[in-house]
Amino acid sequence: MSVFDTISASDPLTVVSALGKQEAERRFETLLNHLSHPPSFTTVRVNTHLASVQHVKNLLLDELQKQFNGLSVPILQHPDLQDVLLIPIIGPRRNIKKQQCEAVVGAQCGNAVLRGAHVYIPGIVSASKFMKAGDVISVYSDIKGKCKKGAKEFDGTKVFLGNGISELSRKEIFSGLPELKGIGIRMTEPIYLSPSFDNVLPNYLFLQNLPSAVVTHVLDPQPGEKILDLCAAPGGKTTHIAALMHDQGEVIALDKISNKVEKIKQNALLLGLNSIKAFCFDGTKALKLDMVKDAEGKPPFLRESFDRILLDAPCSGMGQRPNMACSWTLKEVTSYQPLQRKLFTVAVELLKPGGVLVYSTCTITLAENEEQVAWALATFPCLQLQPQEPQIGGEGMMGAGLSSEQLKQLQRFDPSVVPVRDTDIASLGDARIEDMIWLANKDCIGFFIAKFIKRKST
């Protein structure tokens, strides 16, 4: 049974258009229910450039013992993704006593709390009138965005996230000082027990969803290559590419938002990776139209400059979890397709013959995934769809005109294929490792991956 309200969308047939209307709506409701809950596992990627997986796993076990007050929660190494560690999420815990003193946070902050974060001051929208530092507070998420900043109480739609201890008084939180950015409420009894990674082993770990780690292994970067991450922020896949190359070669990361580019640079520095060059640049303009070579290696780039390209495209995000607040319109969902095609066209031009192009999204819509693959194969005869390794997700969805053989070469991660379930410590003790890995592979965010090889020059 769901403990949250589900999100809504205007037209479920945009997601599962190959099915009859009734079946499409049933599947879509199931999907929305899953999207309102966090995945069953927290996934972290080990920075193998600086440390071994076993060393980091041991450090993380010690950290979890401290965070969970001696509670024994297993850490699993993924058998097909050797640099990935999986930590089961305990919950939802239904016996947490709600407190009289309340704080309401924004929906985005609430989603982060469900994944193990504490509450940071900018995320707090409302707090009870007499809230003091040290008070035990019940924390709620304003999933419809109706609560006014600074309110003393809120009777609108809100979802209980658990209890925590306030680090500041109400007066301090809403003092108007812009420099207040630290932790405002330290979560002590979250409804989902998931580790906090605030400043935990920052040089060794990167918090990353499972399919996001899969996509870089599918790209299979090799030492000495020149690789482009066309839409790179916040840099999880960029830094993974550099680590898999043993920091040997050149990784170019582009994003058109300057503060996101700074975040990529910070992550590269933190993880000790020197092969990454990040630029604030619009990926749709990354192709240099004249043939004069730029000696500095800055964008735009000449045709056929890269051995491998990752296009993790801007998308509707209709696969991100948990998401208790969003509603999508048909117009919003379909608005991404033209931009994705512009970026894809640039990527094909920039790829060397014999090079690999991986296209991915964190959404489950047919229009942004299989339809884009069908369009790409029809538009660029030089491209050939390739099988993927590792193959962890399911095959592609029918409805875009792709053959059954082509659908098998795609990876689609659809969280609605497994029922929403409760996890407690007792059930973890009885679970087989193989069953937990299977669940981690299925009950993750919604995601899509396609891999192409460029056979000849465009």
Side-chain angles (χ1 to χ4, degrees), residues 208-229:
Q208 197 165 27
N209 287 300
L210 182 81
S212 299
V214 172
V215 75
T216 314
H217 283 282
V218 168
L219 184 68
D220 193 26
Q222 299 299 311
E225 290 183 331
K226 186 175 182 181
I227 296 181
L228 175 63
D229 189 349

Side-chain angles (χ1 to χ4, degrees), residues 158-227:
K158 58 188 179 184
V159 172
F160 180 59
L161 303 174
N163 296 333
I165 296 173
S166 177
E167 299 279 308
L168 300 164
S169 68
R170 173 194 158 79
K171 186 178 179 182
E172 289 168 318
I173 289 169
F174 297 114
S175 65
L177 295 175
E179 62 268 20
L180 287 176
K181 292 178 182 175
I183 294 175
I185 301 169
R186 196 169 294 277
M187 297 301 295
T188 53
E189 288 184 292
I191 190 168
Y192 281 98
L193 188 61
S194 181
S196 168
F197 283 92
D198 296 328
N199 295 315
V200 173
L201 306 174
N203 304 103
Y204 293 158
L205 288 177
F206 200 97
L207 196 58
Q208 197 165 27
N209 287 300
L210 182 81
S212 299
V214 172
V215 75
T216 314
H217 283 282
V218 168
L219 184 68
D220 193 26
Q222 299 299 311
E225 290 183 331
K226 186 175 182 181
I227 296 181

Side-chain angles (χ1 to χ4, degrees), residues 327-342:
S327 60
W328 291 277
T329 64
L330 180 57
K331 185 178 178 182
E332 286 168 331
V333 170
T334 55
S335 68
Y336 289 94
Q337 201 180 66
L339 173 59
Q340 290 161 352
R341 291 184 179 183
K342 273 187 188 177

Side-chain angles (χ1 to χ4, degrees), residues 287-291 301-306 348-352 454 457-458:
L287 178 65
K288 196 174 181 70
L289 298 176
D290 60 57
M291 294 305 290
F301 305 103
L302 293 174
R303 290 178 69 248
E304 301 181 349
S305 292
F306 295 93
V348 174
E349 291 285 345
L350 290 174
L351 189 63
K352 292 177 182 177
K454 184 175 179 180
S457 185
T458 47

Side-chain angles (χ1 to χ4, degrees), residues 106-172:
Q108 196 172 354
C109 176
N111 292 340
V113 170
L114 290 177
R115 295 296 297 263
H118 295 298
V119 176
Y120 282 75
I121 295 165
I124 302 172
V125 183
S126 160
S128 292
K129 187 175 181 180
F130 300 109
M131 189 176 91
K132 306 183 300 297
D135 283 352
V136 179
I137 310 289
S138 280
V139 180
Y140 295 82
S141 177
D142 171 25
I143 62 171
K144 293 186 177 178
K146 300 291 188 183
C147 184
K148 289 183 179 177
K149 187 81 172 179
K152 293 172 183 173
E153 56 183 38
F154 177 60
D155 295 324
T157 305
K158 58 188 179 184
V159 172
F160 180 59
L161 303 174
N163 296 333
I165 296 173
S166 177
E167 299 279 308
L168 300 164
S169 68
R170 173 194 158 79
K171 186 178 179 182
E172 289 168 318

